[in-house]
């Protein structure tokens, strides 16, 4: 049974920080692609950040333009984990954040991913 679980969401003031964690298990192979998506109050699911393997434990990252220089995604493959460090949070970052794992690109297309967590709420107040 494949399981994906996010944690670390919460309520913070504008300018604050949060670190989201995602643990996955039950996969027969390590996922090539791991990405964070968010469901905003506009009811749109959008890619936030992704980290995909290119060789061994080496990976490349991608970010949504609106979060570049504020968010950092990183993987700890030995722990079957991926994290999202969010700094300088803004009210428009509010939403339910989902961790997704898969094996095909593109990193920010929900259709690329086979397994999803339940989501963790991030709320940024003004």
């Amino acid at each position: 049974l494949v399981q994906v679980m996010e944690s670390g969401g919460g309520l913070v003031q504008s300018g604050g920080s949060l670190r989201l964690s995602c643990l996955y298990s039950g996969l027969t192979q390590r996922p090539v692609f791991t990405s964070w998506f968010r469901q905003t109050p506009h009811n749109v699911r959008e890619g936030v950040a992704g980290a995909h393997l290119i060789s061994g434990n080496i990976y490349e990252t991608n970010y949504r333009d609106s979060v570049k220089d504020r968010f950092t995604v990183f993987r700890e493959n030995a722990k079957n984990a991926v994290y999202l460090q969010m700094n300088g949070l803004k009210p428009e970052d509010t939403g339910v954040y989902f961790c997704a794992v898969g094996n095909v690109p593109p990193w920010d297309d929900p259709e690329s991913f086979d397994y999803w967590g339940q989501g963790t709420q991030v709320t940024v107040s003004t």
Side-chain angles (χ1 to χ4, degrees), residues 11-71:
L11 173 64
V12 298
Q13 295 183 6
S14 181
S17 298
L18 286 172
R19 177 175 289 185
L20 305 184
S21 300
C22 173
L23 301 177
Y24 47 89
S25 62
L27 296 167
T28 58
Q29 298 178 348
R30 61 167 54 181
V32 178
F33 284 81
T34 59
S35 289
W36 291 93
F37 293 80
R38 65 188 179 192
Q39 190 82 33
T40 72
H42 298 289
N43 203 32
V44 175
R45 184 166 295 191
E46 58 190 23
V48 178
H52 66 275
L53 300 176
I54 56 175
S55 179
N57 289 321
I58 306 300
Y59 58 88
E60 293 182 348
T61 59
N62 296 97
Y63 297 94
R64 187 173 196 85
D65 286 344
S66 61
V67 308
K68 287 182 177 179
D69 301 320
R70 297 190 297 121
F71 292 9

Side-chain angles (χ1 to χ4, degrees), residues 2 7 14 26 56 65 67 74-75 77 85 96 104 106 115 122-123:
V2 176
S7 62
S14 181
D65 286 344
V67 308
F74 57 99
R75 293 176 63 154
N77 293 316
Q85 178 67 45
V96 180
V104 297
Y115 303 104
V122 172
T123 303

Side-chain angles (χ1 to χ4, degrees), residues 14 35 40 53 63 65 78 80 94 103 109-110 113 118 121:
S14 181
S35 289
T40 72
L53 300 176
Y63 297 94
D65 286 344
N80 293 328
T94 293
N103 292 303
D109 184 355
F113 294 89
Q118 294 295 314
Q121 177 70 44

